[in-house]
Amino acid sequence: MIAADAASWRGRIQWYATAAAGPMASAAVQFLLSLTLLARLPVAEFGRLSFTFVVSQFSVGVWGALFTSPLLVLSAHAAAGSAPAHDELEGVRAMAWLALAPAALIFLAIALAVGLGTASALLFAAYGTLVLIRQYARVQATVQGRYRRAMASDLVYSVVLLGGVIVLSVLPRSGEQSALALLAAAVVSGLAPLLISRREPRVRRGAPRHYATVWDRDARWSLLGVISTEATVNSHSYIVTALLGPRAFAPIAATVLFIRPVTVAINALVEFERARAAHRIARGEFAALATARLHLRLLLLAIWVATIALAGLVITFAPEPYMVGKFGLGVVLAGTGLWLAVALARLLHAPEGVILLAAGRFRQLAWISGWTAVLSIGAVLILVFTVSPVVSIAGIVLGEGVFAFAAWRATSRFLARRST
């Protein structure tokens, strides 16, 4: 029994290492890029650029709600022989491509609204659109079991981005345009392993009409969940930037860098694990699902502890221009501590999110994230006006913590009913 458990742990660690290697490499390089920009850009410019990155990340969540999350669930049902699921998959594919043009226009409008120049706004629109294409292609690869392609995409992206960071660090002058051009080039490079020798399934005429069923049953609830989750997680970003400007948002954006490793690990492992969870649910393997839930949580806790150590090293040894010298030790410590609390709450509910999404419980998750978002936004507004922008992160901690408890209870009930 002990030998079997050890083998199970070794196999799962190898699986997680495969799933997380590429995204963690990307996170490390993006961390270096952000530190480089923090040192070289004025505070207001850094805050403005960081806000556009928040928008881009939100767009990935919206894209997931509309297309990639239904893609994962429908692929599992189609593999089990469901003809309606096959038709709905075609609808998802068709609508994903049709939605790229309006997405690009929205990116451009937001970039211009926050003060980016025309050239920078166009680069951001290109970057944001390419990220969505890569996200869809990456999820499609995992659905098809081509995990090495997904990992290769992440590693190529990281290598190109690292080369660009080195160039930016030695250039006499570098700003928004250089950073955005570098990011767009890295995403294009990361697309290559996903698209080479790959043929997208042919979409029949009239396929978009099948998306109406997906929208009514799943996507609208998933979208509501993403929007309310964004309100819980990033309401401070929009509130502080809208009320006080990019300069006030800059220390929040700087200290959130410390939890980038655990955030990227959560996103990567959840994406890989959700595809497996959907197939386990379809086959009725609920004992294995519960074990995977525990293993994922323990691994994320280990990454969180390592993140604390990394934050301590950077705060202690980083040169003055990078963090403490720009914002002060008190602000950096407060922001870092609160962000680590956010990361802890987020990793605690990540395994539950995997199971509920894989089970198609989009509506249930939407209701949970909806009322926790109201709680979080209210707390953020109070803290922004009564304490400080950085302390407003505590409102996110409250919302994420309540979400974690509600998701844990919902998932435990789901597993208990299906296991009997």
Side-chain angles (χ1 to χ4, degrees):
M1 178 66 72
I2 294 176
D5 290 342
S8 173
W9 265 106
R10 282 196 301 271
R12 185 156 293 276
I13 291 298
Q14 289 172 358
W15 160 258
Y16 285 143
T18 301
M24 291 301 289
S26 302
V29 180
Q30 288 170 1
F31 182 78
L32 291 176
L33 173 63
S34 297
L35 285 181
T36 301
L37 294 175
L38 178 59
R40 297 176 71 87
L41 297 180
V43 171
E45 193 171 332
F46 175 79
R48 183 170 59 205
L49 196 60
S50 297
F51 180 75
T52 62
F53 294 156
V54 170
V55 171
S56 176
Q57 191 60 44
F58 175 46
S59 74
V60 172
V62 171
W63 207 252
L66 295 176
F67 306 117
T68 58
S69 289
L71 177 70
L72 285 166
V73 176
L74 291 171
S75 295
H77 289 293
S82 170
H86 178 76
D87 291 338
E88 290 168 11
L89 269 176
E90 283 199 328
V92 169
R93 294 189 185 106
M95 290 303 298
W97 288 108
L98 290 173
L100 286 173
L105 292 175
I106 292 171
F107 285 135
L108 181 62
I110 291 174
L112 292 171
V114 298
L116 266 66
T118 302
S120 295
L122 288 169
L123 283 169
F124 173 68
Y127 163 70
T129 306
L130 288 166
V131 166
L132 297 182
I133 295 172
R134 179 172 176 262
Q135 173 72 4
Y136 178 88
R138 193 177 184 281
V139 171
Q140 182 78 354
T142 63
V143 164
Q144 296 170 348
R146 296 165 18 166
Y147 302 110
R148 290 185 178 180
R149 288 283 182 97
M151 186 171 67
S153 172
D154 294 331
L155 292 175
V156 170
Y157 169 81
S158 302
V159 169
V160 173
L161 190 59
L162 178 60
V165 170
I166 294 171
V167 172
L168 285 181
S169 64
V170 299
L171 286 176
R173 295 187 63 183
S174 57
E176 292 172 346
Q177 290 186 28
S178 301
L180 289 168
L182 165 62
L183 285 163
V187 176
V188 170
S189 301
L191 266 171
L194 297 170
L195 301 181
I196 290 176
S197 300
R198 177 182 178 276
R199 305 183 87 184
E200 180 74 15
R202 190 172 180 270
V203 177
R204 293 173 296 177
R205 178 179 295 183
R209 74 174 184 270
H210 295 297
Y211 185 76
T213 303
V214 180
W215 166 260
D216 188 61
R217 186 189 62 232
D218 298 330
R220 61 172 177 159
W221 297 108
S222 186
L223 179 62
L224 176 60
V226 167
I227 292 173
S228 54
T229 298
E230 178 72 3
T232 302
V233 174
N234 279 323
S235 58
H236 64 291
S237 302
Y238 304 99
I239 292 170
V240 171
T241 303
L243 296 179
L244 304 175
R247 178 178 290 274
F249 177 62
I252 295 175
T255 51
V256 77
L257 296 178
F258 289 121
I259 67 165
R260 181 71 56 79
V262 70
T263 300
V264 169
I266 290 172
N267 293 338
L269 296 177
V270 159
E271 184 178 290
F272 273 74
E273 196 66 25
R274 202 164 56 198
R276 298 182 77 185
H279 287 285
R280 282 183 174 131
I281 290 172
R283 295 191 299 260
E285 298 173 355
F286 295 102
L289 195 66
T291 301
R293 175 192 186 192
L294 174 61
H295 289 176
L296 178 59
R297 197 188 320 278
L298 291 175
L299 179 62
L300 291 173
L301 279 169
I303 295 172
W304 181 74
V305 172
T307 300
I308 295 176
L310 173 64
L313 289 173
V314 173
I315 293 173
T316 304
F317 297 109
E320 283 289 306
Y322 285 94
M323 193 70 66
V324 175
K326 282 206 167 182
F327 305 114
L329 181 60
V331 170
V332 171
L333 289 177
T336 302
L338 288 169
W339 277 124
L340 287 169
V342 170
L344 177 61
R346 196 174 296 170
L347 71 86
L348 288 177
H349 67 67
E352 281 68 30
V354 166
I355 294 172
L356 293 175
L357 283 174
R361 299 298 184 96
F362 300 107
R363 183 172 182 173
Q364 186 174 24
L365 273 174
W367 279 110
I368 293 173
S369 59
W371 62 266
T372 55
V374 172
L375 180 67
S376 185
I377 291 172
V380 167
L381 281 169
I382 292 171
L383 292 169
V384 165
F385 287 111
T386 60
V387 189
S388 72
V390 170
V391 176
S392 69
I393 302 169
I396 310 301
V397 178
L398 176 63
E400 289 276 17
V402 175
F403 185 99
F405 174 74
W408 171 81
R409 187 172 63 174
T411 304
S412 297
R413 288 177 175 176
F414 168 76
L415 290 176
R417 285 196 299 268
R418 293 303 181 95
S419 299
T420 54

